[in-house]
Amino acid sequence: QVQLIESGGGLVQAGGSLTLSCAASGRTFDNYALAWFRQAPEKEREFAAAINWNDDSTYYADSVKGRFTISRDNAKNTVYLQMNSLKPEDTAVYFCAADWGPRNSASYYHEYDYTYWGQGTQVTVSS
């Protein structure tokens, strides 16, 4: 059973930075895709960023491109989301997600592309 545990959320002022971590356990993550989604109050959950564990290819939503960076640490089985130049509209619960199997570049952006989910971590950006 794959488990994903997020950490690193908190309160930050606009323009500041935070780094989220997602510690993954239960199996090795070769051939996995891992992603970050977020859900703002009264809004649907939306894609933020994803990474392919094998080849390090990365994918970003337009709203975070240039500000957020997703990366991984093989030794720690951990995925990170470095968030810079944060805006109040980045306020949301951030979820880590994972799924196994080969995929094309279109198969990283939707909730249904992922099988395993973490519980989420709150990020609040004050103006």
Side-chain angles (χ1 to χ4, degrees):
Q1 182 71 14
V2 174
Q3 289 188 320
L4 304 171
I5 300 176
E6 304 97 333
S7 61
L11 174 64
V12 64
Q13 287 190 331
S17 299
L18 275 177
T19 300
L20 305 183
S21 300
C22 172
S25 62
R27 61 170 299 156
T28 59
F29 287 90
D30 292 345
N31 219 22
Y32 262 74
L34 289 103
W36 289 96
F37 284 74
R38 65 186 185 179
Q39 186 167 20
E42 300 183 358
K43 292 190 175 181
E44 294 190 352
R45 191 153 52 182
E46 64 176 12
F47 171 78
I51 188 167
N52 182 293
W53 195 267
N54 282 10
D55 63 16
D56 258 353
S57 56
T58 56
Y59 306 84
Y60 295 96
D62 288 342
S63 58
V64 308
K65 201 172 294 182
R67 300 188 298 122
F68 290 10
T69 302
I70 189 169
S71 62
R72 61 171 174 81
D73 184 325
N74 276 5
K76 296 181 179 179
N77 252 21
T78 298
V79 174
Y80 303 98
L81 187 67
Q82 173 69 43
M83 305 185 295
N84 298 326
S85 303
L86 282 162
K87 305 174 182 180
E89 51 264 43
D90 294 318
T91 294
V93 178
Y94 283 70
F95 297 90
C96 182
D99 192 68
W100 181 88
R103 63 195 62 227
N104 58 39
S105 60
S107 301
Y108 289 88
Y109 298 93
H110 307 98
E111 289 186 70
Y112 56 72
D113 291 323
Y114 298 90
T115 301
Y116 305 102
W117 292 84
Q119 293 300 307
T121 185
Q122 176 71 46
V123 171
T124 303
V125 184
S126 63
S127 57

